[in-house]
Amino acid sequence: LKLKGASRSTTSAFLEGVVTDTTSQPLGYVHALVSKPLFEACFAALIVLNSVIMALESQYTGLKNGSTVEYPGFSQEPFEVWPWAKTTFLVFEWIFGCLFII
């Protein structure tokens, strides 16, 4: 690869810097962070935790549906069984939404 108006040594030095030094590039620090195994493990744990929260939210919705259709064994409203659920699910939705934007 030859850049117009550049000598061979300048071109080689430029390409070596691009290939080996990612921290000097504008997003080099981001790339260095997301390339780490610890970052991958943390986000894998977040995905699993989000799946658990979604399963609990589905259970809560099932309780609500069972109460609505007066299914046997569903005599209580879901907010009586899990009074904290609606707020907790909303908080987790915002937390995971913000974290997954990263």
Side-chain angles (χ1 to χ4, degrees):
L1 176 68
K2 177 104 166 116
L3 297 177
K4 189 174 185 178
S7 68
R8 179 165 170 70
S9 61
T10 306
T11 305
S12 297
F14 173 75
L15 290 177
E16 285 176 14
V18 169
V19 172
T20 59
D21 184 22
T22 59
T23 58
S24 65
Q25 296 175 3
L27 295 177
Y29 292 108
V30 174
H31 181 268
L33 173 70
V34 300
S35 298
K36 305 257 187 232
L38 179 61
F39 182 85
E40 295 287 332
C42 288
F43 261 82
L46 282 174
I47 290 169
V48 169
L49 183 59
N50 189 28
S51 299
V52 169
I53 297 298
M54 287 172 39
L56 290 171
E57 191 171 5
S58 294
Q59 180 66 31
Y60 181 78
T61 302
L63 290 172
K64 185 169 58 174
N65 292 340
S67 175
T68 300
V69 298
E70 298 176 358
Y71 191 80
F74 288 85
S75 58
Q76 290 181 310
E77 292 292 325
F79 59 84
E80 294 172 353
V81 180
W82 293 355
W84 44 266
K86 212 167 190 179
T87 304
T88 303
F89 294 141
L90 182 62
V91 168
F92 274 116
E93 182 179 338
W94 275 95
I95 289 171
F96 286 122
C98 291
L99 288 173
F100 289 139
I101 286 175
I102 298 172

